[in-house]
Structure formats: structure tokens, C-alpha cells
């Protein structure tokens, strides 16, 4: 059946920033949103109609005792709304034994986040470290059920709440003008409280992720790039997802003093971007392997002409050079 989902969001915000001391900056803001979310099926029959207003405060303090050294403390609230497929109330029967269906009663996730961070610039090296805490009200997770004939139904549902805490470290370096790279490590612990009305179980998880990207310049016109991403196994309600790892590489060649460039990219060169879901409950035990076949090769030719806008310099004149790191 055809489904129409409309969403209107009206927002207003206010923000202030300034200095409490020559080495202490502050920034605070408040954003309000009014949302109308409606879904219709044939003949404009309403599937759902939700209207709500929400407020999202932010606050940041940054202390810079000396040049290149910063300490920051920040708080923010964010919203993550469900997408179309999560709301679509009609089942997907492409696999008659594994049916997917949306949940029009889903509410958006609301996340409150607190972060304490440190950053240091030392020549061509940059180090960033942060400790964070996040509380999510009504996190959206998949809920799996199986009937008496073995047909599995998967839908998204709002669980009770979740809270996570962790440490993130970012290191950037540039070595002899030819090699530069970034290394990011995130170690975290998460607790998810299930929804008793749905019979969902709680889940506790300790995991980590690692991402690294490096660029090597050969002369003035050749550039190599490689990136690696690793995610350790994670535990969810009713099961877990195994680790996944992939590697991407790229090569770029410039011509005509940089006006023309050719980029060759290879994604997932070892064909390892697979996701193994292990589902387990009191009444079922199963595994699903998703292999999206993401190994691909692309070529891109770019020709630059005209003059580039110097937006970075213009923003600095407006006093927008200071960046307050927000939550991911």
C-alpha cells in the first residue's frame, strides 16, 4: 500500500558567547523545536499524527592557560528522529520467513551528553582526549519475535533508557610534509534498560572502535591515502553483533598545476565488510549474516576553474574561528 509520511519542524534558537577571563571562554544556547509528524495510507487515512514541542540547551566552557593548550567542559541535548522505513506500518514480505515492519508509534530519541576534553598542539602534532557520559531517553532498538510456525518479525521499538560512558583519544600528525594521518580510539561501556511492556531484556556492553587514516605525498602531484576501521563486538537486547573490519585505499594525480585531478578509489579492498547478527532469547537462537558486497572501485576526474571563495578568511573576520566540539 502507498504510504505518505510528512514531517514539519519549526525551530527558534538563541545563543550567547563571550569571555569570563582572558583565558576562559563561554558559550551557551537554547533551541526550541515544534514538530508535526503525520502518516497517511490510501485515501488519506491517518496512520499516526504526532505534535510536540521540545527544548535543547547547550553550554560550553573553554580554558586556555597558554597557546595550543585547551581544556573544555560541555553539555548538550540532541534529538534523533526515526526514519521512513522505521515508521512504515506495512510489512516487507520479500523474505516470508523474516518479515520486517515499521512502527508508527516510535518516538524520537533524546540524548543528554556531558563531555570533559583536553587538546594540545605541539608543532605538527595534535592530541585530543575526552571523557564523556551520555543518557538516552527512549533509545530505538530492533525487537525480534517468532511465532509458532517459525516466522520471524523484526520491528523497531522504543526501549526504556540507556546510558554510556567512555574515553576517546584522537591523534593527528604531519611528518616531514609528506606523511600525515589521524588515529582515533574510542573505548566505552553502555547499559540499555529494556521495555517491560514489550518483554524486552536489558543489555550491558563493553566495546571499542578504532579508526585510522593516513596520506602520503609522492612529489608534488601524486598522493596516496589509506584508511582502516575496526569495531569490536557489541551486545544488544536479544543478541549481539560480531566485530567488523574494512580497509579503503585511494590514489590521486594532479595535472595542469592542480586544475585537473584524477582520483582512483578502492573501497573494502579485502571484502571484509560483513555483519554477523546473533539473535538469542528464551524462545529462539539464530544467526543472520549481512554481506552488502561493498568492495568497489571508482574513478573521478575533477576540473577546477574560476576563483575559489575564501570563506575561511571571511569567517575569521566575523569572529567565527573558534570551534566548540559538539557530540557525535
Amino acid at each position: 500500500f502507498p504510504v505518505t509520511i510528512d514531517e514539519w519542524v519549526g525551530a527558534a534558537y538563541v545563543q550567547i558567547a563571550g569571555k569570563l577571563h582572558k583565558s576562559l571562554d563561554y558559550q551557551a544556547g537554547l533551541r526550541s523545536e515544534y514538530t508535526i509528524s503525520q502518516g497517511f495510507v490510501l485515501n488519506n487515512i491517518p496512520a499516526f499524527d504526532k505534535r510536540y514541542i521540545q527544548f535543547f540547551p547547550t553550554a560550553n566552557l573553554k580554558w586556555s592557560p597558554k597557546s595550543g593548550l585547551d581544556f573544555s567542559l560541555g553539555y548538550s541535548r540532541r534529538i534523533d528522529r526515526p526514519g521512513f522505513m522505521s515508521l512504515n506500518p506495512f510489512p516487507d514480505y520479500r523474505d516470508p520467513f523474516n518479515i520486517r515492519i515499521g512502527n508508527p508509534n516510535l518516538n524520537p530519541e533524546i540524548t543528554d551528553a556531558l563531555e570533559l576534553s583536553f587538546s594540545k598542539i605541539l608543532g605538527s602534532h595534535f592530541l585530543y582526549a575526552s571523557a564523556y557520559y551520555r543518557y538516552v531517553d527512549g533509545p530505538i532498538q530492533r525487537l525480534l519475535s517468532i511465532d509458532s510456525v517459525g516466522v520471524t518479525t523484526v520491528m523497531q521499538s522504543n526501549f526504556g533508557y540507556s546510558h554510556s560512558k567512555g574515553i576517546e583519544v584522537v591523534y593527528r600528525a604531519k611528518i616531514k610534509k609528506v606523511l600525515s594521518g589521524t588515529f582515533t580510539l574510542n573505548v566505552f561501556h553502555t547499559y540499555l534498560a529494556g521495555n517491560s511492556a514489550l518483554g524486552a531484556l536489558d543489555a550491558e556492553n563493553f566495546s571499542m572502535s578504532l579508526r585510522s587514516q593516513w596520506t602520503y605525498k609522492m612529489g608534488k602531484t601524486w598522493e596516496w591515502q589509506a584508511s582502516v576501521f575496526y569495531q569490536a563486538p557489541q551486545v544488544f537486547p536479544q543478541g549481539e553483533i560480531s566485530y567488523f573490519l574494512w580497509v579503503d585505499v585511494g590514489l590521486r594525480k594532479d595535472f595542469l598545476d592542480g586544475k585537473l585531478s584524477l582520483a582512483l578509489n578502492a573501497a573494502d579492498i579485502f571484502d571484509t565488510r560483513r555483519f554477523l547478527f546473533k539473535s538469542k532469547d528464551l524462545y529462539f537462537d539464530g544467526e543472520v549474516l549481512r554481506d552488502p558486497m561493498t568492495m568497489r572501485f571508482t574513478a573521478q576526474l575533477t576540473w577546477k576553474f574560476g576563483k575559489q571563495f575564501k570563506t575561511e578568511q571571511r569567517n575569521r573576520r566575523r569572529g567565527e574561528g573558534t570551534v566548540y566540539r559538539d557530540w557525535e
Side-chain angles (χ1 to χ4, degrees):
F1 297 95
V3 179
T4 301
I5 295 179
D6 298 324
E7 190 171 73
W8 294 268
V9 179
Y13 67 91
V14 60
Q15 180 175 291
I16 59 172
K19 285 184 173 291
L20 298 174
H21 186 266
K22 63 179 181 180
S23 61
L24 184 62
D25 299 309
Y26 72 90
Q27 183 186 63
L30 178 65
R31 187 179 81 256
S32 63
E33 293 185 359
Y34 180 69
T35 303
I36 301 176
S37 183
Q38 298 174 317
F40 303 92
V41 293
L42 284 174
N43 300 320
N44 287 328
I45 300 175
F48 62 89
D49 187 339
K50 294 185 178 182
R51 302 161 188 253
Y52 50 88
I53 186 170
Q54 293 169 313
F55 298 92
F56 303 94
T58 60
N60 294 276
L61 283 174
K62 186 177 73 170
W63 177 44
S64 305
K66 60 181 181 179
S67 178
L69 177 63
D70 295 325
F71 296 89
S72 299
L73 176 64
Y75 163 79
S76 66
R77 172 175 290 179
R78 284 190 168 184
I79 184 171
D80 187 6
R81 296 181 175 87
F84 171 79
M85 294 305 297
S86 297
L87 296 171
N88 184 359
F90 293 102
D92 181 354
Y93 290 105
R94 284 178 293 182
D95 182 350
F97 296 100
N98 294 279
I99 301 173
R100 294 181 176 273
I101 184 172
N103 181 2
N105 295 315
L106 280 179
N107 294 315
E109 295 181 346
I110 304 296
T111 302
D112 290 277
L114 184 66
E115 179 182 22
L116 178 63
S117 64
F118 153 86
S119 64
K120 173 65 176 177
I121 300 176
L122 185 60
S124 59
H125 300 267
F126 171 79
L127 177 64
Y128 170 88
S130 71
Y132 60 84
Y133 174 81
R134 301 171 187 168
Y135 179 88
V136 183
D137 183 23
I140 298 175
Q141 294 283 333
R142 71 172 194 157
L143 186 65
L144 187 150
S145 61
I146 187 169
D147 62 18
S148 59
V149 296
V151 176
T152 301
T153 301
V154 179
M155 68 183 301
Q156 303 287 330
S157 296
N158 288 108
F159 281 55
Y161 65 89
S162 73
H163 58 80
S164 60
K165 50 185 179 293
I167 297 175
E168 183 181 39
V169 178
V170 180
Y171 170 72
R172 292 203 301 263
K174 187 173 183 180
I175 304 173
K176 295 184 178 180
K177 297 182 180 181
V178 297
L179 181 64
S180 59
T182 303
F183 177 90
T184 304
L185 174 66
N186 188 14
V187 181
F188 56 91
H189 174 270
T190 302
Y191 174 78
L192 176 67
N195 188 327
S196 58
L198 300 172
L201 303 175
D202 298 351
E204 190 171 7
N205 177 61
F206 180 81
S207 188
M208 62 163 288
S209 64
L210 173 65
R211 184 187 299 271
S212 185
Q213 179 174 309
W214 292 86
T215 301
Y216 178 69
K217 294 185 177 181
M218 300 174 57
K220 296 182 179 180
T221 60
W222 290 89
E223 184 177 284
W224 288 88
Q225 189 174 87
S227 62
V228 180
F229 178 77
Y230 169 78
Q231 174 66 64
Q234 297 186 72
V235 177
F236 295 100
Q238 298 181 299
E240 64 179 38
I241 180 174
S242 65
Y243 81 92
F244 44 92
L245 168 71
W246 61 79
V247 179
D248 302 333
V249 296
L251 172 64
R252 191 182 72 181
K253 168 67 175 176
D254 292 334
F255 305 91
L256 303 177
D257 295 328
K259 295 182 179 180
L260 184 67
S261 63
L262 174 64
L264 304 176
N265 299 287
D268 191 21
I269 59 174
F270 299 114
D271 193 23
T272 57
R273 195 174 298 189
R274 298 181 179 91
F275 307 91
L276 177 61
F277 297 90
K278 300 179 181 180
S279 301
K280 188 174 183 180
D281 206 324
L282 296 175
Y283 308 103
F284 57 83
D285 190 348
E287 294 184 358
V288 176
L289 176 64
R290 292 184 56 193
D291 188 353
M293 298 180 65
T294 53
M295 184 178 181
R296 64 184 183 274
F297 302 90
T298 60
Q300 179 178 340
L301 187 65
T302 304
W303 177 35
K304 300 176 183 178
F305 59 92
K307 294 183 179 180
Q308 291 182 329
F309 294 101
K310 297 182 179 180
T311 55
E312 182 179 356
Q313 293 182 4
R314 183 168 64 251
N315 288 342
R316 287 180 178 176
R317 285 197 296 269
R318 292 204 308 256
E320 299 175 2
T322 301
V323 177
Y324 288 87
R325 185 180 182 278
D326 209 347
W327 288 91
E328 298 295 338

